[in-house]
Amino acid sequence: MKKSFYLLIITALLCLTPCAASARHNESDSTSIMLAKEDSIALAKLEKQAKVKLKRDWTNWKPDPKRAMWLAIVIPGAGQIYNRKYWKLPIVYGGFLGCAYAMRWNNQMYMDYSQAYLDIMDNDPSTKSYAQFLHLGTQITSANEDRYKQIFKSRKNKYRRWRDLSFFCMLGVYALSIVDAYVDASLSSFDISDDLTLQVEPAVIGNSIPGSGHASSIGVHGSLNF
């Protein structure tokens, strides 16, 4: 009887052991799944926080003067775009287009008057490109030929100077766009609050004159608060 009782207990223990192991295994699997979910949620939160940190705060953003200068050197107008001063772009590109048009027009006039001067200087009667610059009914004769030669020569030189001046004006617009981008970025952090005040008021100024003692004079006193 005792032997059968012991055998029954041992059999029950052997049956319960796999069940307990299976339960522990299932419990460990569920725990690992929960931990994996928590890790994924925490990772998603970290990624979201990182994206928020990487997003630039434009309200407190200050441009870098050197970067604005180099952008303006490489691409005209890029410094103004970097400084977020878009209203200056029409001024910059308008200056470039105006100088380019003036340079092209003056160069064309210089070429026309150069050819007219060459034609009036030669002895070939078939070359008369200068006729387009004459008034209606005007003829070049031996009496006025020297005068027109001088006119065409002076106009040729004049339009050549204007063409060269247009080119230098374009370089000036380019240089001004670079300087403007650098100065504008540098002054972006300049204090322009209401605390900047200039007070001018009359004051009595004491002057020490050698040999005459101490003398006072009336002047103006200015103070700048910032």
Side-chain angles (χ1 to χ4, degrees):
M1 185 68 181
K2 290 182 179 181
K3 291 182 179 180
S4 61
F5 179 72
Y6 291 150
L7 289 173
L8 182 61
I9 292 175
I10 292 171
T11 304
L13 290 173
L14 292 174
C15 293
L16 291 175
T17 300
C19 295
S22 177
R24 286 195 301 270
H25 180 69
N26 293 333
E27 185 179 357
S28 62
D29 290 342
S30 61
T31 304
S32 61
I33 292 172
M34 291 178 64
L35 291 175
K37 288 182 178 179
E38 291 177 356
D39 292 339
S40 62
I41 294 173
L43 183 61
K45 289 182 179 180
L46 290 175
E47 290 178 353
K48 186 176 181 179
Q49 291 176 358
K51 289 181 179 179
V52 171
K53 289 181 180 179
L54 291 175
K55 188 176 180 180
R56 178 172 287 175
D57 186 9
W58 292 105
T59 57
N60 298 323
W61 177 76
K62 302 296 182 183
D64 183 13
K66 290 184 177 180
R67 179 173 293 182
M69 180 186 68
W70 283 109
L71 285 173
I73 291 174
V74 175
I75 304 175
Q80 283 71 25
I81 296 175
Y82 173 73
N83 292 335
R84 303 180 68 189
K85 297 299 177 62
Y86 307 110
W87 62 271
K88 294 183 179 180
L89 291 178
I91 300 175
V92 174
Y93 290 115
F96 277 109
L97 291 176
C99 293
Y101 176 79
M103 185 169 59
R104 181 178 178 276
W105 188 80
N106 288 312
N107 183 67
Q108 184 63 44
M109 296 298 293
Y110 165 72
M111 298 296 294
D112 292 342
Y113 274 105
S114 295
Q115 187 62 43
Y117 179 71
L118 291 176
D119 292 345
I120 200 174
M121 291 296 293
D122 61 20
N123 296 322
D124 188 0
S126 62
T127 56
K128 293 184 178 181
S129 62
Y130 53 83
Q132 61 179 324
F133 300 110
L134 300 177
H135 295 289
L136 185 63
T138 303
Q139 297 291 332
I140 295 180
T141 62
S142 58
N144 59 7
E145 184 178 3
D146 293 337
R147 175 173 169 268
Y148 277 102
K149 286 180 180 180
Q150 187 63 32
I151 290 174
F152 291 147
K153 182 179 180 180
S154 63
R155 291 184 180 178
K156 172 178 69 71
N157 295 332
K158 179 182 68 175
Y159 285 111
R160 182 184 60 188
R161 290 194 301 270
W162 286 3
R163 180 199 61 184
D164 298 341
L165 182 62
S166 301
F167 175 74
F168 287 111
C169 287
M170 181 179 289
L171 291 180
V173 172
Y174 175 68
L176 285 176
S177 66
I178 297 173
V179 173
D180 173 75
Y182 181 81
V183 174
D184 196 1
S186 300
L187 294 179
S188 62
S189 58
F190 186 74
D191 186 10
I192 55 174
S193 63
D194 296 335
D195 294 335
L196 292 174
T197 57
L198 176 62
Q199 295 180 354
V200 180
E201 54 188 9
V204 178
I205 303 173
N207 297 321
S208 297
I209 302 175
S212 300
H214 185 77
S216 299
S217 61
I218 298 176
V220 177
H221 177 266
S223 60
L224 178 64
N225 298 326
F226 59 91

